[in-house]
Coordinates of all heavy atoms in Angstrom, one line a residue:
Y39 N 5.8 -5.3 -4.0 CA 6.9 -6.2 -3.9 C 6.9 -7.2 -5.0 O 7.9 -7.9 -5.2 CB 6.6 -7.1 -2.6 CG 5.2 -7.8 -2.7 CD1 5.1 -9.0 -3.3 CD2 4.1 -7.1 -2.2 CE1 3.8 -9.6 -3.5 CE2 2.9 -7.7 -2.4 CZ 2.7 -8.9 -3.0 OH 1.5 -9.5 -3.2
L69 N 11.8 -2.2 -4.7 CA 11.1 -1.1 -3.9 C 11.9 0.2 -4.0 O 11.3 1.3 -4.2 CB 11.0 -1.5 -2.4 CG 10.1 -2.7 -2.1 CD1 9.9 -2.9 -0.6 CD2 8.7 -2.5 -2.8
A70 N 13.2 0.2 -3.9 CA 14.0 1.4 -3.9 C 13.9 2.1 -5.2 O 13.9 3.3 -5.3 CB 15.5 1.1 -3.6
L73 N 10.6 3.9 -5.3 CA 10.7 5.1 -4.5 C 11.5 6.2 -5.2 O 11.2 7.4 -5.2 CB 11.4 4.9 -3.2 CG 10.5 4.0 -2.2 CD1 11.3 3.4 -1.1 CD2 9.3 4.8 -1.7
L80 N 3.3 2.2 -0.8 CA 3.7 0.9 -1.1 C 2.7 -0.1 -0.4 O 2.3 0.2 0.6 CB 5.1 0.6 -0.6 CG 6.3 1.5 -1.2 CD1 7.6 1.2 -0.5 CD2 6.4 1.3 -2.7
E81 N 2.4 -1.2 -1.1 CA 1.4 -2.1 -0.7 C 2.2 -3.5 -0.5 O 2.9 -4.0 -1.4 CB 0.3 -2.3 -1.6 CG -0.8 -3.3 -1.1 CD -2.0 -3.4 -2.0 OE1 -2.0 -2.8 -3.1 OE2 -3.0 -4.0 -1.6
I82 N 2.0 -4.1 0.6 CA 2.7 -5.4 1.0 C 1.7 -6.4 1.4 O 1.0 -6.1 2.4 CB 3.8 -5.2 2.0 CG1 4.8 -4.2 1.5 CG2 4.5 -6.5 2.4 CD1 5.9 -3.7 2.5
D83 N 1.7 -7.5 0.8 CA 0.8 -8.7 1.2 C 1.6 -9.5 2.2 O 2.7 -9.9 1.9 CB 0.4 -9.5 0.0 CG -0.7 -8.8 -0.9 OD1 -1.3 -7.9 -0.3 OD2 -0.8 -9.1 -2.0
L84 N 0.9 -9.8 3.3 CA 1.6 -10.6 4.4 C 0.9 -11.9 4.6 O -0.3 -12.1 4.6 CB 1.5 -9.8 5.7 CG 2.2 -8.4 5.6 CD1 1.9 -7.6 6.9 CD2 3.6 -8.4 5.4
Y116 N 6.7 -13.0 9.4 CA 5.8 -12.8 8.2 C 6.5 -12.9 6.9 O 7.6 -12.4 6.7 CB 5.2 -11.4 8.4 CG 4.0 -11.4 9.3 CD1 4.1 -11.2 10.7 CD2 2.7 -11.5 8.7 CE1 3.0 -11.1 11.5 CE2 1.6 -11.5 9.6 CZ 1.8 -11.3 11.0 OH 0.6 -11.3 11.8
K117 N 5.8 -13.5 5.9 CA 6.3 -13.6 4.6 C 5.5 -12.8 3.6 O 4.4 -12.4 3.9 CB 6.3 -15.1 4.1 CG 7.0 -16.1 5.1 CD 8.5 -15.7 5.3 CE 9.3 -16.7 6.0 NZ 8.8 -16.9 7.4
V118 N 6.1 -12.5 2.5 CA 5.5 -11.5 1.6 C 5.4 -12.2 0.2 O 6.4 -12.5 -0.5 CB 6.4 -10.3 1.4 CG1 5.9 -9.3 0.4 CG2 6.5 -9.5 2.8
S128 N 8.9 -12.4 -4.9 CA 8.9 -11.0 -4.3 C 10.3 -10.5 -4.3 O 11.2 -11.2 -4.1 CB 8.3 -11.2 -2.9 OG 8.4 -9.9 -2.2
H129 N 10.4 -9.1 -4.4 CA 11.7 -8.5 -4.3 C 12.2 -8.5 -2.9 O 13.3 -8.3 -2.6 CB 11.5 -7.0 -4.8 CG 11.3 -6.9 -6.2 ND1 12.4 -7.2 -7.1 CD2 10.4 -6.4 -7.0 CE1 12.0 -7.0 -8.3 NE2 10.8 -6.5 -8.3
C130 N 11.3 -8.9 -1.9 CA 11.6 -9.0 -0.5 C 10.7 -10.1 0.1 O 9.5 -9.9 0.2 CB 11.5 -7.7 0.3 SG 10.1 -6.7 -0.1
R131 N 11.3 -11.2 0.4 CA 10.5 -12.3 0.8 C 9.9 -12.3 2.2 O 8.9 -13.0 2.5 CB 11.3 -13.6 0.5 CG 11.5 -14.0 -0.9 CD 12.5 -15.1 -1.1 NE 13.9 -14.6 -0.8 CZ 14.7 -13.9 -1.7 NH1 14.2 -13.6 -2.8 NH2 15.9 -13.6 -1.3
T132 N 10.6 -11.5 3.0 CA 10.0 -11.4 4.4 C 9.6 -9.9 4.6 O 10.2 -9.0 4.0 CB 11.1 -11.8 5.5 OG1 12.2 -10.8 5.5 CG2 11.7 -13.1 5.1
F133 N 8.7 -9.8 5.5 CA 8.2 -8.4 5.9 C 9.4 -7.6 6.4 O 9.5 -6.4 6.0 CB 7.1 -8.5 6.9 CG 6.4 -7.2 7.1 CD1 6.1 -6.3 6.1 CD2 6.0 -6.9 8.5 CE1 5.4 -5.1 6.4 CE2 5.3 -5.7 8.7 CZ 5.0 -4.8 7.7
V134 N 10.2 -8.1 7.3 CA 11.3 -7.3 7.8 C 12.2 -6.9 6.7 O 12.8 -5.8 6.7 CB 12.0 -8.1 8.9 CG1 13.3 -7.5 9.3 CG2 11.1 -8.2 10.1
Q135 N 12.5 -7.8 5.7 CA 13.4 -7.5 4.6 C 12.8 -6.3 3.8 O 13.5 -5.3 3.4 CB 13.6 -8.6 3.7 CG 14.6 -8.4 2.5 CD 14.7 -9.6 1.6 OE1 13.8 -10.4 1.5 NE2 15.8 -9.6 0.9
C136 N 11.5 -6.3 3.5 CA 10.8 -5.2 2.8 C 11.0 -3.9 3.6 O 11.4 -2.9 3.0 CB 9.3 -5.5 2.6 SG 9.0 -6.9 1.4
L137 N 10.7 -3.9 4.9 CA 10.8 -2.7 5.7 C 12.2 -2.2 5.8 O 12.4 -1.0 5.7 CB 10.2 -3.0 7.1 CG 8.8 -3.4 7.2 CD1 8.3 -3.5 8.6 CD2 7.9 -2.5 6.5
T138 N 13.1 -3.1 5.8 CA 14.5 -2.6 5.9 C 14.9 -2.0 4.6 O 15.7 -0.9 4.6 CB 15.5 -3.9 6.1 OG1 15.1 -4.5 7.4 CG2 16.9 -3.4 6.2
Q139 N 14.4 -2.4 3.4 CA 14.7 -1.8 2.2 C 14.1 -0.4 2.1 O 14.8 0.5 1.7 CB 14.2 -2.6 1.0 CG 15.0 -3.9 0.8 CD 14.3 -4.8 -0.3 OE1 13.5 -4.3 -1.1 NE2 14.8 -6.0 -0.4
I140 N 12.9 -0.3 2.6 CA 12.3 1.1 2.7 C 13.0 2.0 3.7 O 13.3 3.1 3.3 CB 10.8 0.9 3.1 CG1 10.0 0.1 2.1 CG2 10.1 2.3 3.3 CD1 8.6 -0.4 2.6
R141 N 13.4 1.5 4.8 CA 14.0 2.3 5.8 C 15.4 2.8 5.2 O 15.8 3.9 5.4 CB 14.3 1.5 7.1 CG 14.9 2.4 8.2 CD 15.5 1.5 9.3 NE 16.6 0.6 8.7 CZ 17.0 -0.5 9.3 NH1 16.5 -0.9 10.4 NH2 18.0 -1.2 8.7
D142 N 16.1 1.9 4.6 CA 17.4 2.3 4.0 C 17.3 3.3 3.0 O 18.1 4.3 2.9 CB 18.1 1.0 3.4 CG 18.6 0.1 4.5 OD1 18.6 0.4 5.7 OD2 19.0 -1.0 4.1
W143 N 16.3 3.3 2.2 CA 16.0 4.3 1.2 C 15.6 5.6 1.9 O 16.2 6.7 1.5 CB 14.9 3.9 0.2 CG 14.7 4.9 -0.9 CD1 15.3 4.9 -2.1 CD2 13.8 6.1 -0.8 NE1 14.9 6.0 -2.9 CE2 14.0 6.7 -2.1 CE3 13.0 6.6 0.1 CZ2 13.3 7.9 -2.3 CZ3 12.4 7.8 -0.1 CH2 12.5 8.4 -1.4
S144 N 14.8 5.5 2.9 CA 14.4 6.7 3.6 C 15.6 7.3 4.3 O 15.7 8.6 4.3 CB 13.4 6.3 4.7 OG 13.0 7.4 5.5
D145 N 16.5 6.6 4.9 CA 17.7 7.1 5.5 C 18.5 8.0 4.5 O 19.1 9.0 4.8 CB 18.6 6.0 6.0 CG 18.1 5.3 7.2 OD1 17.2 5.9 7.9 OD2 18.6 4.2 7.6
H150 N 11.9 13.2 2.1 CA 10.8 12.7 1.5 C 9.5 12.9 2.2 O 9.4 13.0 3.5 CB 10.9 11.2 1.2 CG 10.9 10.3 2.4 ND1 9.7 9.9 3.0 CD2 11.9 9.6 3.0 CE1 10.0 9.1 4.0 NE2 11.3 8.9 4.1
I153 N 5.6 8.3 3.6 CA 5.3 7.1 2.8 C 4.2 6.3 3.5 O 4.4 5.9 4.7 CB 6.6 6.2 2.6 CG1 7.6 7.0 1.8 CG2 6.3 4.9 1.9 CD1 9.0 6.4 1.8
L154 N 3.2 6.0 2.8 CA 2.2 5.1 3.3 C 2.5 3.6 2.9 O 2.7 3.4 1.8 CB 0.8 5.4 2.7 CG -0.3 4.4 2.8 CD1 -0.6 4.1 4.3 CD2 -1.6 4.9 2.1
I155 N 2.6 2.8 3.9 CA 2.9 1.4 3.7 C 1.5 0.6 4.1 O 1.2 0.5 5.3 CB 4.0 0.8 4.6 CG1 5.3 1.6 4.3 CG2 4.3 -0.6 4.4 CD1 6.5 1.3 5.2
M156 N 0.9 0.2 3.0 CA -0.4 -0.6 3.3 C -0.1 -2.1 3.3 O 0.9 -2.6 2.8 CB -1.3 -0.4 2.0 CG -1.9 0.9 1.8 SD -2.9 1.0 0.4 CE -3.9 -0.4 0.7
M157 N -0.9 -2.8 4.1 CA -0.7 -4.1 4.4 C -2.0 -4.9 4.2 O -3.0 -4.5 4.7 CB -0.2 -4.4 5.8 CG 1.2 -3.7 6.1 SD 1.5 -3.8 7.8 CE 0.2 -2.9 8.6
A182 N 2.6 -10.0 16.8 CA 3.9 -10.3 16.0 C 4.1 -9.2 14.9 O 5.2 -8.8 14.7 CB 3.9 -11.6 15.5
L183 N 3.0 -8.9 14.3 CA 3.1 -7.9 13.2 C 3.6 -6.5 13.7 O 4.5 -6.0 13.2 CB 1.7 -7.7 12.6 CG 1.7 -6.6 11.4 CD1 2.5 -7.0 10.2 CD2 0.2 -6.4 11.0
D184 N 3.0 -6.1 14.8 CA 3.5 -4.8 15.4 C 4.9 -4.9 15.8 O 5.7 -3.9 15.6 CB 2.6 -4.5 16.6 CG 1.2 -4.1 16.3 OD1 0.9 -3.9 15.1 OD2 0.4 -4.0 17.2
S185 N 5.4 -6.1 16.3 CA 6.7 -6.2 16.7 C 7.7 -6.1 15.6 O 8.8 -5.5 15.7 CB 6.9 -7.5 17.5 OG 6.2 -7.5 18.7
E186 N 7.3 -6.7 14.5 CA 8.2 -6.6 13.3 C 8.3 -5.2 12.8 O 9.4 -4.7 12.4 CB 7.6 -7.6 12.2 CG 7.8 -9.0 12.5 CD 7.8 -10.0 11.3 OE1 7.8 -9.5 10.2 OE2 7.7 -11.2 11.6
I187 N 7.2 -4.5 12.8 CA 7.2 -3.0 12.4 C 8.2 -2.3 13.3 O 9.0 -1.5 12.7 CB 5.8 -2.4 12.4 CG1 5.0 -3.0 11.3 CG2 5.9 -0.9 12.3 CD1 3.4 -2.6 11.4
R188 N 8.0 -2.4 14.5 CA 8.8 -1.6 15.5 C 10.3 -2.1 15.6 O 11.1 -1.4 16.1 CB 8.1 -1.7 16.9 CG 6.9 -0.9 16.9 CD 6.3 -0.9 18.3 NE 5.3 0.3 18.4 CZ 4.1 0.1 19.0 NH1 3.6 -1.0 19.5 NH2 3.3 1.2 19.0
S189 N 10.6 -3.3 15.1 CA 11.9 -3.8 15.0 C 12.7 -3.0 14.0 O 14.0 -3.0 14.0 CB 12.0 -5.2 14.7 OG 11.7 -5.6 13.4
V190 N 12.1 -2.4 13.0 CA 12.7 -1.7 11.9 C 12.5 -0.2 12.0 O 13.5 0.6 11.8 CB 12.2 -2.2 10.5 CG1 12.8 -1.5 9.4 CG2 12.4 -3.7 10.4
F191 N 11.4 0.3 12.4 CA 11.1 1.7 12.4 C 10.9 2.1 13.9 O 9.8 1.6 14.5 CB 9.9 2.0 11.6 CG 10.1 2.0 10.1 CD1 9.7 0.9 9.3 CD2 10.8 3.1 9.5 CE1 9.9 1.0 8.0 CE2 11.0 3.0 8.1 CZ 10.6 2.0 7.4
G192 N 11.7 2.9 14.5 CA 11.5 3.3 15.8 C 10.5 4.4 15.9 O 10.1 4.9 14.8
R195 N 10.5 7.6 13.7 CA 10.3 7.4 12.2 C 8.8 7.0 11.9 O 8.6 7.0 10.7 CB 11.2 6.3 11.6 CG 12.7 6.5 11.9 CD 13.3 7.7 11.2 NE 13.2 7.5 9.8 CZ 14.2 6.8 9.1 NH1 15.2 6.3 9.7 NH2 14.1 6.7 7.7
L196 N 8.0 6.8 12.9 CA 6.7 6.3 12.6 C 5.7 7.4 12.9 O 5.8 8.2 13.9 CB 6.4 5.2 13.6 CG 6.7 3.7 13.1 CD1 6.3 2.7 14.2 CD2 5.9 3.4 11.8
V228 N 7.3 7.2 8.0 CA 6.4 6.4 7.3 C 5.2 6.2 8.2 O 5.2 6.4 9.4 CB 7.0 5.0 7.0 CG1 8.2 5.1 6.1 CG2 7.3 4.3 8.3
F229 N 4.0 5.8 7.6 CA 2.9 5.3 8.4 C 2.3 4.1 7.8 O 2.4 3.8 6.6 CB 1.9 6.4 8.6 CG 1.1 6.9 7.5 CD1 -0.3 6.7 7.4 CD2 1.7 7.6 6.5 CE1 -1.0 7.2 6.3 CE2 1.0 8.1 5.3 CZ -0.4 7.9 5.3
F230 N 1.7 3.2 8.6 CA 1.1 1.9 8.2 C -0.4 1.9 8.3 O -1.0 2.5 9.2 CB 1.7 0.8 9.1 CG 3.2 0.6 8.9 CD1 4.1 1.4 9.5 CD2 3.6 -0.5 8.1 CE1 5.5 1.1 9.3 CE2 4.9 -0.7 7.9 CZ 5.9 0.0 8.5
A231 N -1.0 1.2 7.3 CA -2.4 1.0 7.3 C -2.8 -0.4 7.0 O -2.2 -1.0 6.0 CB -3.1 2.0 6.3
P253 N 0.7 0.8 16.4 CA 1.5 1.5 15.4 C 0.8 1.6 14.1 O 1.3 2.3 13.2 CB 2.7 0.6 15.3 CG 2.3 -0.7 15.5 CD 1.2 -0.6 16.6
V254 N -0.4 0.9 13.9 CA -1.0 0.8 12.6 C -2.4 1.4 12.5 O -3.2 1.2 13.5 CB -1.1 -0.7 12.2 CG1 -1.8 -0.9 10.9 CG2 0.3 -1.3 12.1

Side-chain angles (χ1 to χ4, degrees):
Y39 58 87
L69 298 183
L73 292 164
L80 300 171
E81 181 179 11
I82 300 175
D83 287 338
L84 302 174
Y116 275 89
K117 303 305 186 297
V118 176
S128 173
H129 288 294
C130 41
R131 287 169 289 279
T132 71
F133 188 40
V134 168
Q135 184 184 21
C136 292
L137 297 186
T138 301
Q139 292 177 10
I140 298 166
R141 184 199 61 198
D142 290 349
W143 184 93
S144 178
D145 287 345
H150 68 77
I153 298 168
L154 167 60
I155 302 173
M156 291 179 55
M157 302 170 295
L183 177 64
D184 290 350
S185 294
E186 291 199 9
I187 289 170
R188 288 184 162 137
S189 75
V190 179
F191 287 102
R195 304 293 294 278
L196 272 177
V228 302
F229 68 114
F230 289 82
V254 175

